[in-house]
Amino acid sequence: FGPDGLWTRLPQLKLPASFLWTGRDKLIPAGHAAEVSRLLPRAPWLEVPCSGHFVNFRHFRCMEHAMAMAVDSARELADGRRGPDEATGPSLAPCLAATERVTTPASQAAA
């Protein structure tokens, strides 16, 4: 709070942005997502329900995939391929921990 605080400066964010929230975060409550959405109504946000604040080995692919989805959403909004009304509300990222092979933009680039 205050002139240099996050909540005061957040509405001034000019770059295309998207936000990730985790379903099992003990440090940053999920209730913050609603406030960020209110301050930045055009910014898409994703929830990664299977992960926590500290991404453990089992769910690193889930978070990697969600980050790629968030970047794609921000790009679509910035390029006009997605309207501002399509950016509201959370999207749920899938839990990929149970799959044997996961293909993400980052793993495709490494191949």
Side-chain angles (χ1 to χ4, degrees), residues 13-19 42-44 70-71 73-79:
L13 187 65
K14 300 283 187 234
L15 298 173
S18 55
F19 294 89
R42 293 186 46 194
V71 168
S73 291
R75 281 186 185 153
E76 288 173 357
L77 189 61
D79 295 346

Side-chain angles (χ1 to χ4, degrees), residues 2 22 25 32 34-35 39 72 79 82 85 88 96-97 105 108-109:
T22 59
D25 195 332
H32 283 4
E35 183 63 14
L39 293 171
D72 287 345
D79 295 346
R82 173 185 240 184
D85 295 339
T88 60
L96 304 175
Q108 289 173 345

Side-chain angles (χ1 to χ4, degrees), residues 11-74:
Q12 300 168 9
L13 187 65
K14 300 283 187 234
L15 298 173
S18 55
F19 294 89
L20 290 177
W21 299 96
T22 59
R24 300 184 319 184
D25 195 332
K26 303 286 186 208
L27 296 176
I28 301 174
H32 283 4
E35 183 63 14
V36 170
S37 181
R38 186 184 71 74
L39 293 171
L40 295 169
R42 293 186 46 194
W45 51 297
L46 251 56
E47 181 183 338
V48 187
C50 62
S51 191
H53 191 81
F54 300 101
V55 180
N56 61 25
F57 179 75
R58 183 164 184 235
H59 295 281
F60 80 94
R61 288 184 179 136
C62 309
M63 188 58 76
E64 179 187 45
H65 183 73
M67 285 188 284
M69 290 173 63
V71 168
D72 287 345
S73 291

